[in-house]
């Protein structure tokens, strides 16, 4: 098990194309930890909290059972991944440089890091 700081550091070191990452409490919209550059992670934490909440509300209205694994936002030069931690009101936020990233591998590594996280 790893702590928040070590997990965020590992994400930037081991995921190709990673430029910024955060652990976010989506019940409050607050970042529990941030690392990286190129994105205002405090604003991103709050804004992406609304994305997660909106998707959860929509699933509820549609009667979709189960949980969200992750949400992918594709921009012209970046990927943004919101990985929801099971059984917690937290998500890992990862910003990737699209030209340097392998999306499938990034999702795999992000899941492994989240699985070993202790909060």
């Amino acid at each position: 098990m790893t702590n928040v700081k070590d997990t965020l550091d590992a994400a930037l070191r081991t995921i190709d194309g990673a430029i910024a990452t955060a652990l976010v409490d989506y019940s409050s919209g607050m970042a529990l930890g941030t690392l990286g550059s190129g994105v205002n992670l405090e604003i991103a934490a709050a804004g992406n909290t609304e994305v997660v909440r909106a998707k959860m509300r929509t699933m509820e209205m549609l009667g979709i059972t189960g949980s969200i694994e992750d949400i992918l936002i594709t921009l012209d030069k970046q990927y943004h991944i919101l990985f929801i931690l099971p059984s917690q009101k937290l998500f890992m936020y990862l910003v990737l440089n699209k030209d340097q990233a392998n999306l499938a591998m990034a999702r795999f590594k992000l899941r492994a890091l989240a699985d070993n996280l202790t909060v």
Side-chain angles (χ1 to χ4, degrees), residues 52-95:
V52 170
R53 290 176 183 167
K55 186 58 187 174
M56 288 180 172
R57 280 191 309 272
T58 302
M59 288 174 59
E60 184 177 334
M61 288 186 291
L62 293 171
I64 298 172
T65 58
S67 59
I68 300 169
E69 184 174 316
D70 63 28
I71 297 170
L72 172 64
I73 300 166
T74 305
L75 305 177
D76 59 342
K77 295 183 181 182
Q78 295 177 339
Y79 294 121
H80 293 220
I81 302 172
L82 313 176
F83 179 83
I84 314 303
L85 278 72
S87 304
Q88 298 185 50
K89 293 200 176 278
L90 303 173
F91 67 89
M92 295 251 335
Y93 173 58
L94 181 65
V95 179

Side-chain angles (χ1 to χ4, degrees), residues 3-63:
N3 65 28
V4 173
K5 181 183 178 305
D6 291 340
T7 300
L8 297 177
D9 182 58
L12 287 185
R13 283 185 299 102
T14 65
I15 300 175
D16 291 341
I19 57 174
T21 188
L23 179 66
V24 181
D25 175 344
Y26 64 79
S27 64
S28 68
M30 301 296 292
L32 303 179
T34 62
L35 194 60
S37 62
V39 175
N40 182 322
L41 291 168
E42 298 298 327
I43 292 173
N48 285 310
T49 291
E50 293 305 316
V51 171
V52 170
R53 290 176 183 167
K55 186 58 187 174
M56 288 180 172
R57 280 191 309 272
T58 302
M59 288 174 59
E60 184 177 334
M61 288 186 291
L62 293 171

